Amino acid sequence: MPTFTAPVKDMQFILHDVLKASEQDVPGYDELDRDFTSAILEEAGKLAGDVFAPLNAVGDQEGVRLENGVVYTPKGFKEAFDQFREGGWTGLDCDPEYGGQGLPYLLSTATGEIFSASNMAFMMYPGLTHGAYSAIHAHGSDEQKQTFLPKMVTCEWTGTMNLTEPHCGTDLGLMRTKAEPQDDGSYKITGQKIFISAGDHDMSDNVIHLVLAKIPGGPDGIKGVSLFIVPKFIVNDDNTPGARNSLSVGKIEEKMGIHGNATCVMNYDGATGYLLGEAHKGMRAMFTMMNEARLGVGMQGLSQATVAYENALAYAKDRLQGRAVTGTENPDGPADPLIVHPDIRRSLMDQKSFVEGARAFGLWGAELIDRAHRSKDAEAEGLVSLMTPVLKGFLTDQGFDMTVLAQQIYGGHGYIEEWGMSQFTRDARITMIYEGANGVQALDLVGRKLASGGGKPAMAFFEEIKSFIKANSDDEELKTQFMDPLKQASKQLQEAAMFFMAQGMKNPNEALAGSYDFMHLFGHVCLGYMWARMAVAAKAALAAGAEDKDFYETKLVTGRYYMARRLPACAMHVARITSGADPVMALDAANF
């Protein structure tokens, strides 16, 4: 069975050596000193490793079940959820007014990776709740906040988002779920929603569904969509769960992975709902939830790569296969360990350089969210909006690929369920699909985000990289190994953006045909930037006489690998982009 140990040391390096969190002028960051963050991450690691990780295979093998209208979670999940709640983890970054601890989102993102790496399906229950909490917190009335948020912060009540219907996923303007207004100000919600993660279960006293629906007589299409709070149990005046609402679970979806999470078909038969935010402005409220969820899903992709790499590395060091081509390295054994072979090293270095670079990228994204929300920093808001599809799309595509590489190191054992590696691959696969499929993320990046605000966020990103390179080019080693490759990659990203501007206005297909490559090109540049920042931090630590010399030197070696072996993918992506739409669109549909 796979094991998991939280990457606390690496997270501490990113938080304090790279981001210098406690020195930032973001409200609440002055609390984030090394001792404080270490204590929280260590405790999260213990809970994840000792409690959640052993249940990962249980959830995968046992799954959830629907019996007589009740959804039952796998053995051990309910007790683990109680421990999670009792530790206060559910409200780590939530508003203290409603019982939260009010800590920065940065710290919640770090602990989120730890928990998700140990048991992704389990963590989807509180994860969806946090998203629903955020939407109600941002758009709810005072009464709605007082009614729902305290219990959602503690996860006594959990939450969901209900968007997709059998006939519409991405194109939500086609939805048929209706919301009939009632004399008392409530609405009767009727329709069917599918793919509802954590849609129902036995671990909380109530489930608060956020449901997109159309009020009759409203505008056509997406402009006529509203968002409603639809509780499983109607809330009594004393804030206790009351009568069962007119909603039910139609079935549990049978899925490729995340078997421990209850992915439900939800039927609403005149269920009582309450308008959240303005009528016909449901997508505005829902996207409060979606944007947070997309960063969270990006970190899920990273988390599965993290745990898969950890186990593949252990296997590569332990498994004896063949002899090193340069001479025996394990003379007392019948063969050398897998890790002596160059192609195994290549695979492990691909994984290691992605995982550590992606972790820095995700935590930087969380810092930008804190700057936007806590400091009301408009530039940070623009930058994180630009980065959201990259964080979601690139980290999940690459995260899935890394689980495949980890599985491959096991050879045939990687394909056998007994060894547990296939679960990481199967669980990671959904991250590329839900909360907006990655092709849609790429379209959003190129079609909307790149030009938003007159292109200011994109220009701010390029300027940040330019200034960083200029400030760190005096060191010849850093310049040659990190700054020059980053500079070239940044220029390639700008070249692709200019191609879209020049050609996309004449023919939108010229831009959209290259959008997926652009998302990956952007992602590689971001990870290159993170590795350059980590190299600067590592060299500074070494110059200051850091005790753990091996750790910082390993950072430099890993960073050099990324710049030399992974970042050159930028050239491939820009070549594809500038080939235009013709190779993509030339074939008639009938000839596929």
Side-chain angles (χ1 to χ4, degrees):
M1 181 185 294
T3 59
F4 174 67
T5 302
V8 174
K9 191 171 190 177
D10 197 56
M11 288 180 168
Q12 286 285 85
F13 167 71
I14 295 167
L15 291 174
H16 301 290
D17 293 76
V18 180
L19 299 179
K20 299 186 182 301
S22 62
E23 300 173 27
Q24 300 298 332
D25 59 348
V26 180
Y29 272 42
D30 56 336
E31 298 179 38
L32 303 183
D33 60 51
R34 285 183 185 269
D35 289 342
F36 180 69
T37 58
S38 177
I40 288 180
L41 296 176
E42 290 285 356
E43 284 304 310
K46 289 177 186 176
L47 183 61
D50 297 343
V51 179
F52 299 163
L55 293 174
N56 199 37
V58 174
D60 186 54
Q61 294 159 12
E62 189 176 311
V64 299
R65 68 187 194 277
L66 175 63
E67 294 180 1
N68 300 318
V70 179
V71 176
Y72 295 95
T73 51
K75 182 181 178 181
F77 269 43
K78 196 172 190 300
E79 293 77 10
F81 202 61
D82 288 341
Q83 280 189 252
F84 190 64
R85 276 195 292 239
E86 288 163 8
W89 297 105
T90 57
L92 201 67
D93 65 323
C94 294
D95 190 340
E97 184 176 346
Y98 304 104
Q101 297 182 47
L103 291 169
Y105 185 63
L106 176 64
L107 199 55
S108 177
T109 301
T111 58
E113 184 202 335
I114 291 172
F115 292 134
S116 186
S118 66
N119 196 323
M120 178 174 149
F122 174 86
M123 279 307 296
M124 290 171 65
Y125 293 99
L128 269 295
T129 305
H130 193 286
Y133 154 87
S134 295
I136 296 172
H137 188 270
H139 301 281
S141 66
D142 288 341
E143 182 182 357
Q144 287 172 339
K145 292 178 186 178
Q146 292 296 336
T147 299
F148 297 105
L149 294 188
K151 296 290 181 70
M152 294 177 76
V153 165
T154 62
C155 274
E156 292 171 75
W157 298 352
T158 56
T160 72
M161 63 168 85
N162 286 233
L163 293 81
T164 308
E165 299 183 8
H167 60 281
C168 72
T170 301
D171 191 355
L172 292 171
L174 298 175
M175 73 174 56
R176 296 172 185 158
T177 300
K178 291 184 179 180
E180 298 278 357
Q182 304 299 298
D183 293 340
D184 63 358
S186 67
Y187 291 78
K188 292 297 183 186
I189 312 297
T190 302
Q192 185 179 79
K193 297 290 184 176
I194 62 172
F195 307 156
I196 310 307
S197 300
D200 197 59
H201 55 87
D202 57 352
M203 300 191 297
S204 66
D205 297 331
N206 206 349
V207 181
I208 311 304
H209 299 284
L210 296 192
V211 183
L212 285 176
K214 289 185 174 180
I215 300 171
D220 292 334
I222 200 69
K223 294 181 179 178
V225 171
S226 303
L227 184 62
F228 298 88
I229 301 172
V230 187
K232 176 180 176 180
F233 295 102
I234 303 297
V235 180
N236 294 324
D237 290 340
D238 63 356
N239 234 34
T240 58
R244 174 71 183 247
N245 209 345
S246 300
L247 57 90
S248 61
V249 178
K251 72 169 185 174
I252 302 293
E253 301 285 9
E254 295 185 20
K255 311 181 296 291
M256 175 180 175
I258 54 169
H259 296 152
N261 195 266
T263 306
C264 300
V265 172
M266 298 298 304
N267 295 321
Y268 295 90
D269 301 302
T272 299
Y274 311 96
L275 181 66
L276 178 60
E278 298 178 51
H280 317 308
K281 302 290 185 183
M283 292 310 296
R284 180 188 302 171
M286 183 59 85
F287 268 103
T288 299
M289 192 174 181
M290 289 289 286
N291 286 331
E292 175 187 305
R294 283 171 177 168
L295 175 57
V297 171
M299 297 306 285
Q300 283 182 334
L302 162 63
S303 74
Q304 298 311 288
T306 296
V307 66
Y309 165 68
E310 178 185 315
N311 285 277
L313 174 62
Y315 188 83
K317 288 180 176 180
D318 182 65
R319 177 76 167 178
L320 302 182
Q321 291 285 286
R323 291 293 189 188
V325 294
T326 53
T328 298
E329 295 196 19
N330 180 33
D332 297 329
D336 290 332
L338 280 172
I339 200 167
V340 306
H341 303 299
D343 192 60
I344 296 293
R345 291 291 190 97
R346 183 268 315 165
S347 176
L348 290 171
M349 288 300 289
D350 277 356
Q351 294 171 61
K352 180 177 175 64
S353 64
F354 167 75
V355 163
E356 294 177 13
R359 181 172 297 126
F361 184 27
L363 293 176
W364 178 50
E367 182 201 323
L368 290 174
I369 288 177
D370 278 332
R371 286 190 175 279
H373 294 172
R374 289 172 171 255
S375 301
K376 309 302 179 186
D377 185 329
E379 184 172 303
E381 180 75 49
L383 200 51
V384 79
S385 179
L386 173 68
M387 292 294 174
T388 294
V390 184
L391 283 158
K392 196 279 184 184
F394 183 73
L395 294 192
T396 58
D397 275 354
Q398 292 284 307
F400 172 79
D401 287 349
M402 296 306 150
T403 67
V404 173
L405 289 179
Q407 187 183 27
Q408 186 76 9
I409 283 176
Y410 280 70
H413 291 302
Y415 198 68
I416 300 299
E417 294 297 337
E418 177 187 351
W419 289 79
M421 294 303 288
S422 79
Q423 184 183 353
F424 303 133
T425 301
R426 290 184 285 103
D427 286 359
R429 187 64 183 89
I430 187 57
T431 66
M432 304 157 75
I433 298 171
Y434 63 12
E435 310 307 344
N438 286 356
V440 176
Q441 300 300 320
L443 296 180
D444 179 47
L445 174 64
V446 171
R448 294 197 300 172
K449 299 297 177 61
L450 196 58
S452 67
K456 284 183 180 180
M459 294 307 296
F461 175 74
F462 291 131
E463 187 57 40
E464 178 167 339
I465 288 184
K466 182 179 177 181
S467 299
F468 173 79
I469 292 171
K470 185 176 180 181
N472 292 284
S473 291
D474 290 342
D475 183 313
E476 187 59 32
E477 186 180 51
L478 282 175
K479 179 180 183 300
T480 303
Q481 297 173 351
F482 291 92
M483 303 306 154
D484 287 350
L486 177 59
K487 184 177 182 180
Q488 181 182 11
S490 179
K491 285 183 176 179
Q492 289 166 328
L493 182 61
Q494 291 176 69
E495 179 187 347
M498 292 301 291
F499 175 83
F500 290 154
M501 290 178 65
Q503 303 298 324
M505 295 297 288
K506 304 172 192 174
N507 178 6
N509 282 342
E510 294 285 354
L512 300 185
S515 60
Y516 211 91
D517 278 285
F518 188 79
M519 181 177 73
H520 276 257
L521 171 57
F522 211 141
H524 277 297
V525 172
C526 289
L527 258 65
Y529 178 39
M530 292 300 103
W531 272 115
R533 289 182 65 173
M534 287 191 283
V536 170
K539 286 210 76 171
L542 287 168
E547 288 184 14
D548 196 347
K549 189 177 177 183
D550 281 350
F551 176 84
Y552 294 106
E553 288 180 344
T554 298
K555 276 290 170 196
L556 290 168
V557 172
T558 309
R560 285 195 291 267
Y561 179 89
Y562 195 90
M563 306 311 267
R565 298 277 302 211
R566 302 287 293 170
L567 199 59
C570 292
M572 175 190 70
H573 290 303
V574 79
R576 288 175 174 174
I577 290 165
T578 54
S579 73
D582 286 348
V584 176
M585 305 301 293
L587 195 62
D588 188 86
N591 295 328
F592 273 84

